[in-house]
Amino acid sequence: MKRGTRLIHNGHEMDPVTGALGVPIVQTSTFDQGDLSTPREFDYARSGNPTRKALEEIIATLEGGERGYAFGSGIAAVSSVLGILSGGDHVIAAEDIYGGSWRILNNFYRRWGLECTAVDASDPENIRRAIKPTTKALFLETPSNPLLKIIDLKTCLGIARDAGLISVVDNTFMTPYLQRPIELGADVVVHSATKFLGGHSDVVLGLAVTRTKELGKRVYAVQNSFGAIPGPWDVWLVMRGIKTLKARLEVQEASARQLAQWLLDHKKVSAVFYPGLANHPGREINEAQASGAGAVLSFRTKTAEDALRFLAQVEYAAAAVSLGGVETIASYPVRMSHAAMPAEERRRLGITDTLIRISVGLEDVEDLIADFDRALG
Ligand SMILES: *Cc1c(COP(=O)(O)O)cnc(C)c1O
């Protein structure tokens, strides 16, 4: 079966009870236990819900892992996965991971005794150098946010495996349609399904997939005891989104390629970051480990005034956080997704006041180009 077919035919294309072409929304908090003689699969909806279970099985199938788990947000998935670690453990993270993941590692979990070292993982040797006796996990994201830096997953995950670390990859930008980190050696994959998987900017949800059943048990223990679960309606919206992922992503990626190429030649633009561009650092690595370049790009204007003017003037792009929806979204990382990062750290990473990130939607690309041209002035 090819990857597009699997988005539709993954074991949950039909409800076996009614024949419905979708998973029923089971809206209940508890389940009758009969005469208590035999334990039933579901007892309380924090511990398990049939609608949620369907999505958890679907994402595990799509990522090629053993177990899947759904959470109330992408950050709840990240936090719950990190919750399998203990105080005193050390985590190595790529330095340009999602701002919220950075915050949970460096603020919240630090108070609970987790230590974190941020490294530039585009050179895998930096990971090897950061490993110490207490290192227990490696946290990566590729392409990175917002500069679309590429990390060589196979090499980095190999280093983690040799050192006995649990490796976690945030696959939000690529989705399992374009990239499957478990096949490249990852132990856990996490997602903000709020983005491309949900795909319509109408739901917040997170997912985690584990390579093994054993790791799955550890993540489940946190899911059940921490309780950061999604409701069945939100789960259902993500299952519906997944069915159209291929159609959306292919159009969005084709438009992103055209838009990135066009931006390169614009007089107000000084740099464009998109893994599909011929001269993008790491393009070949991305092509080897993923089936596409995705639909997120970023660019630098020549001045901060140009960037603010663009955001104020652009008509077919919402000036907003988030990405992966059917509508184009223009975000301003310095004030939005990376506002939680200390200014000095942002400067070092190149997240400046001239940087704009675009998540390309399903509008006709000719309209987007004309609109961007007008807004850039
Ligand atoms: C949005 C995002 C998250 C956080 O997900 P939420 O659903 O907003 O909690 C994590 N990682 C990446 C790469 C994201 O883009």
Side-chain angles (χ1 to χ4, degrees):
M1 195 191 286
K2 294 176 74 168
R3 60 206 166 98
T5 309
R6 189 166 293 139
L7 295 171
I8 313 290
H9 297 279
N10 45 42
H12 289 285
E13 56 268 47
M14 190 194 73
D15 170 36
V17 177
T18 63
L21 297 189
V23 176
I25 297 172
V26 180
Q27 187 73 41
T28 187
S29 59
T30 189
F31 299 81
D32 186 283
Q33 299 301 305
D35 64 7
L36 307 183
S37 60
T38 40
R40 291 191 169 167
E41 179 179 2
F42 299 105
D43 55 18
Y44 184 60
R46 169 161 38 76
S47 310
N49 166 290
T51 316
R52 189 174 97 213
K53 184 181 173 212
L55 174 60
E56 293 177 334
E57 289 178 353
I58 290 169
I59 194 64
T61 300
L62 297 182
E63 287 288 2
E66 279 288 341
R67 292 283 189 263
Y69 299 95
F71 298 90
S73 67
I75 275 302
V78 169
S79 322
S80 299
V81 165
L82 292 171
I84 71 176
L85 301 171
S86 305
D89 288 352
H90 173 238
V91 180
I92 300 169
E95 63 187 359
D96 42 10
I97 55 174
Y98 178 73
S101 303
W102 196 93
R103 180 171 54 192
I104 196 83
L105 273 164
N106 286 287
N107 295 350
F108 182 88
Y109 274 121
R110 191 168 291 254
R111 283 195 283 110
W112 292 84
L114 205 66
E115 195 198 346
C116 177
T117 302
V119 301
D120 176 358
S122 57
D123 178 2
E125 278 312 304
N126 290 332
I127 295 173
R128 205 190 300 277
R129 273 194 286 270
I131 295 173
K132 47 187 189 177
T134 52
T135 309
K136 291 289 163 57
L138 173 67
F139 191 99
L140 303 175
E141 188 181 316
T142 180
S144 78
N145 179 22
L147 288 167
L148 290 305
K149 282 193 208 157
I150 302 299
I151 290 172
D152 179 344
L153 284 178
K154 217 173 198 169
T155 305
C156 294
L157 296 170
I159 291 170
R161 188 186 49 234
D162 292 347
L165 314 184
I166 295 169
S167 54
V168 183
V169 177
D170 184 331
N171 203 26
T172 299
F173 272 40
M174 292 307 244
T175 83
Y177 184 68
L178 295 180
Q179 176 170 278
R180 279 172 300 286
I182 288 177
E183 289 173 5
L184 299 167
D187 296 309
V188 185
V189 169
V190 291
H191 278 286
S192 171
T194 311
K195 316 293 168 56
F196 288 101
L197 294 175
H200 295 72
S201 308
D202 54 10
V203 62
V204 173
L205 192 137
L207 297 166
V209 177
T210 64
R211 163 192 290 283
T212 65
K213 292 191 179 105
E214 189 274 328
L215 259 178
K217 276 191 194 143
R218 292 171 68 185
V219 172
Y220 176 73
V222 181
Q223 186 196 41
N224 191 35
S225 46
F226 225 62
I229 52 143
W233 287 82
D234 287 352
V235 160
W236 186 88
L237 281 169
V238 171
M239 284 193 283
R240 183 168 71 167
I242 287 173
K243 294 181 195 195
T244 57
L245 179 63
K246 172 183 166 164
R248 285 185 284 111
L249 209 47
E250 288 190 350
V251 172
Q252 287 167 297
E253 176 170 335
S255 298
R257 274 180 199 280
Q258 249 181 284
L259 199 58
Q261 200 65 47
W262 175 82
L263 281 165
L264 268 185
D265 297 328
H266 200 284
K267 62 180 189 302
K268 292 276 179 74
V269 173
S270 64
V272 183
F273 307 93
Y274 180 62
L277 287 173
N279 63 351
H280 189 79
R283 176 182 60 83
E284 280 148 2
I285 293 168
N286 188 64
E287 280 172 4
Q289 69 193 11
S291 328
V296 180
L297 58 92
S298 58
F299 65 94
R300 270 193 223 293
T301 52
K302 291 200 169 141
T303 67
E305 291 69 40
D306 289 342
L308 290 167
R309 179 183 193 276
F310 173 83
L311 290 167
Q313 293 284 320
V314 72
E315 200 176 330
Y316 297 143
V321 292
S322 200
L323 55 106
V326 294
E327 52 287 284
T328 294
I329 295 177
S331 57
Y332 196 45
V334 71
R335 293 228 201 125
M336 295 176 175
S337 55
H338 291 68
M341 193 176 261
E344 190 187 321
E345 183 69 7
R346 270 201 310 258
R347 255 196 308 280
R348 196 177 65 76
L349 296 176
I351 302 167
T352 59
D353 57 7
T354 55
L355 185 73
I356 292 172
R357 189 190 72 192
I358 303 292
S359 168
V360 181
L362 288 175
E363 301 89 348
D364 286 306
V365 70
E366 296 78 9
D367 285 338
L368 290 177
I369 287 174
D371 186 34
F372 278 34
D373 197 26
R374 194 187 46 75
L376 280 166

